[in-house]
Amino acid sequence: MTALEFDVKESAYYSFGSEDSRVVEVVANRYIGANPPLPFIHRAFSTSGIMQNSEGLYLLDFTERYAASPNGSYVYAMALVWSDEERSIDAVMEPLGPITLYLNEQRLYRSTVIEELKPNGSASIPLLFRKGWNSLLIEARKTVAGFGCRFGAEEGKVRILQVLSPFSNRFGQAGWLYSEPCSQSIYGEAQQYFPAYTEHEKQTELTWHPRCEWSEQELLQHHMERLFGYQPNASAIARTMLDVPSNSTAITMSLHTDGATTIWIEDQLVFSSTTAGSYTEQLQLASSKQLQHVQVWTASGEQHWGFELTFHMNGKELIYTPPMLIHGYSGAWIYAGPLAADAMSAPSNESFNPSALIQGMNGKLLYWQLDAPNYVVRPFYENAMLSNKWTVGTMSNYARWDYPLGVTMYGLLRSGKLLGREDMVQYALQHISTCTDWYEYSLWDYEQYGFPSINHQLVLIKMLDNCGSFGSAMLEAYSITGDAGYARIADVIADFILHKLERRADGAFYRLCEGEYSADTMWADDLYMSTPFLIRYAALFNKQAALDEAAKQFILYKSYLFMEDQRLMSHVYDFKYNRATRVPWGRGNGWVLFSLSELLERLPTEHALYDELLSFYREFVQGIVSYQSDSGLWHQVVNEPTSYKEASCTAMFVYGIARGLRFGWLDDAVDYKTVVSHGWNALTNYAITRQGHVHGVCSGSRYSFAPDYYMYDLRTVVNDNHGIGIMMLAGVEVELLRA
């Protein structure tokens, strides 16, 4: 922020002055309003379609699928990507043969012979998505060496590339479509012809897979046989919802079943039979709700497996609707099976839980299937809620597990407490719980399909960014709720940090990251990504070793990164060069001060490292204070006065110094209260608007030995998640200090 990004009249200070709690509230309110509690999106997904690998690359390898096709054959793969706004994602292409990629009917990439023939050869391709729908088309040509490609986003668990199926008859389904092989090139720039994704697939020249409709012969089968194959001594569950006219509870049930069957409506057992047959029953429903859950458990008969069930009222057949919104599916029933023959013959009082897995035969876990060939239900994290056909609704970060949102949830929990806003606290708790409630499913999804559809970073924990920050917010929530699901995930995270994370010979955490630009590095950021979680884990579960580890890591990181002459922390130590970068990035230093203040708050004064850490805190604060600008803000590169003024590091410094005053760690040699007030007033004047928008926050960073990278390549983003939570937390601390 070299200058005001908005007029002074729009600033939070102009409206609220020194009413710090009002500023906190307006930031929190804007965030919640912009990120409504949207659920995961459930979609129809074919298990015979294109899967992903553990890096998130789509396995568009047709070598085995079309082994009989002659060399020189062509196959096309097509998908849609929705973007709420113009955005760029760096993609990875690993060609197995000649590949051409089109984005929105413009050729973006054509493979070279080196990329095609080099084992594990790859190319990086920037994808610039326009606002709205974007079409991807891949043309693959078969050679003796291979046929197809692997394709997806770099860092796929962070930069999620969720693709949907094209064509009107498949609208809402997840996944790529791929064609039958053809002898010549049909689509592309040479032909000046591309398939229209809004039309029915039958209007194209090709047959597309995976198929989504049953054959006539399959439709003649009893439906459980069609789904699971006939199995003696087996059973299955089917679920739907019944639309009952208002204030009506008397209905007629008509059932034909091939085997033992039990039926519940809501939690009411309405029918049970141990034999096949046709039945008509008069039912009096216990509930008068309009939409009522129906669960059918049915066993296979001597020759067939299935049932036919209808409900009538006053001679009119009642309508079914799916028990959850499933995009890309026109049916009303979902199914799980095969189960053991007696799996649910006893009455069940369990309400429908869409995140729960089902116990199948031989201990195998199952999730819901659809009445379509090899189609299942999969929940997906998306940043938008689909509404009408080919349109999209509101964007939301809700239910996403990642490290900036960990700070945001922590900020909302503390802000809600300060303001007496239970609704704010509940919003944060529900965001966290949506992630944790689906944890078991997301592990299963990863095992089944190669890459998880939700909870990407929690499932694919490889570094501290993936778990520590949000895990810390989760433990803050655990101190409120005592949710056992939080505790289980906390144990997984603690085990990763304490026993599986890469360490140097002296025990210091670092990033191994083999084959990546950041291989063999230590980042100041990782003190935040680890220690706030460890100190909460230690306190809540009486794990002294976790607290000791947090203290130890601060001492080790100081030995590598602290620049004694500057009294600042280098952003990164690069072991490839065996030296620190000596660039004190603002937010990197902010993470350290933030975390050190949290550690000192919880570390007993008699701890062996307490005095050393307190001394470090005081020295570090003195260094930070010496670089505060006349405006009250700190710079993007703290010791570079020509670098722009940055909001998130300013908020972190305000937070960390205010806590030092509140807990009595700072003496009177410097007027630290003025430092804090000056910094906070600068944020409310220059960074926060009266509508709660947050300006001047640096986007996510890589690292460099040159300060120019931070000064010129990293620009600020409005309402970036790296800054919203810490604005709230800084305001909370300033309010507590003044109070």
Side-chain angles (χ1 to χ4, degrees), residues 257-502:
T257 178
D258 296 323
T261 299
T262 305
I263 301 172
W264 295 266
I265 299 181
E266 291 296 306
D267 295 329
Q268 177 188 3
L269 178 64
V270 298
F271 177 83
S272 183
S273 173
T274 58
T275 60
S278 297
Y279 303 89
T280 299
E281 300 278 344
Q282 301 299 317
L283 305 179
Q284 189 70 36
L285 300 181
S287 172
S288 59
K289 293 195 303 184
Q290 180 178 354
L291 291 177
Q292 302 197 29
H293 283 277
V294 177
Q295 176 175 287
V296 178
W297 170 86
T298 187
S300 56
E302 294 182 0
Q303 295 181 327
H304 293 292
W305 187 12
F307 68 90
E308 296 176 8
L309 176 64
T310 59
F311 294 94
H312 294 80
M313 179 178 290
N314 299 324
K316 183 178 180 180
E317 185 173 341
L318 301 184
I319 298 171
Y320 294 127
T321 188
M324 62 177 84
L325 177 60
I326 304 168
H327 294 268
Y329 181 52
S330 59
W333 290 84
I334 60 175
Y335 306 87
L339 317 178
D342 60 350
M344 293 193 67
S345 56
S348 171
N349 293 319
E350 294 184 1
S351 298
F352 179 56
N353 179 3
S355 67
L357 296 167
I358 299 105
Q359 189 76 39
M361 282 185 166
N362 303 316
K364 183 179 180 180
L365 293 174
L366 306 171
Y367 196 62
W368 298 103
Q369 290 185 231
L370 302 174
D371 194 3
N374 300 313
Y375 270 82
V376 299
V377 182
R378 276 186 89 185
F380 289 89
Y381 171 80
E382 297 176 336
N383 65 355
M385 168 72 86
L386 285 165
S387 52
N388 299 319
K389 200 167 193 177
W390 312 116
T391 64
V392 94
T394 308
M395 180 176 176
S396 180
N397 285 309
Y398 188 78
R400 180 163 181 158
W401 176 292
D402 72 6
Y403 83 80
L405 290 174
V407 188
T408 308
M409 294 307 109
Y410 182 34
L412 286 170
L413 289 172
R414 292 201 63 198
S415 298
K417 181 179 179 181
L418 174 77
L419 300 167
R421 287 278 303 276
E422 181 62 22
D423 60 319
M424 200 174 284
V425 173
Q426 288 302 315
Y427 172 91
L429 294 177
Q430 288 163 13
H431 178 129
I432 295 166
S433 291
T434 303
C435 298
T436 58
D437 288 349
W438 284 89
Y439 178 61
E440 298 291 343
Y441 170 84
S442 57
L443 292 174
W444 179 88
D445 186 279
Y446 173 44
E447 181 181 332
Q448 295 295 308
Y449 308 121
F451 191 72
S453 59
I454 56 175
N455 280 338
H456 301 80
Q457 296 190 55
L458 176 58
V459 172
L460 299 168
I461 296 177
K462 292 184 179 178
M463 57 196 306
L464 288 167
D465 278 14
N466 303 148
C467 60
S469 170
F470 204 96
S472 178
M474 180 187 71
L475 289 182
E476 195 72 17
Y478 177 81
S479 67
I480 299 170
T481 68
D483 189 314
Y486 296 177
R488 191 224 156 161
I489 296 171
D491 287 340
V492 172
I493 296 172
D495 181 60
F496 170 77
I497 294 176
L498 295 173
H499 303 124
K500 297 176 182 176
L501 185 64
E502 298 93 347

Side-chain angles (χ1 to χ4, degrees), residues 79-83 87 129-130 132-136 161-164:
L80 298 177
V81 176
W82 172 269
S83 185
R87 65 186 176 109
F129 293 125
R130 64 195 180 195
W133 289 107
N134 297 263
S135 63
L136 292 169
L161 182 61
Q162 165 61 16
V163 302
L164 303 181

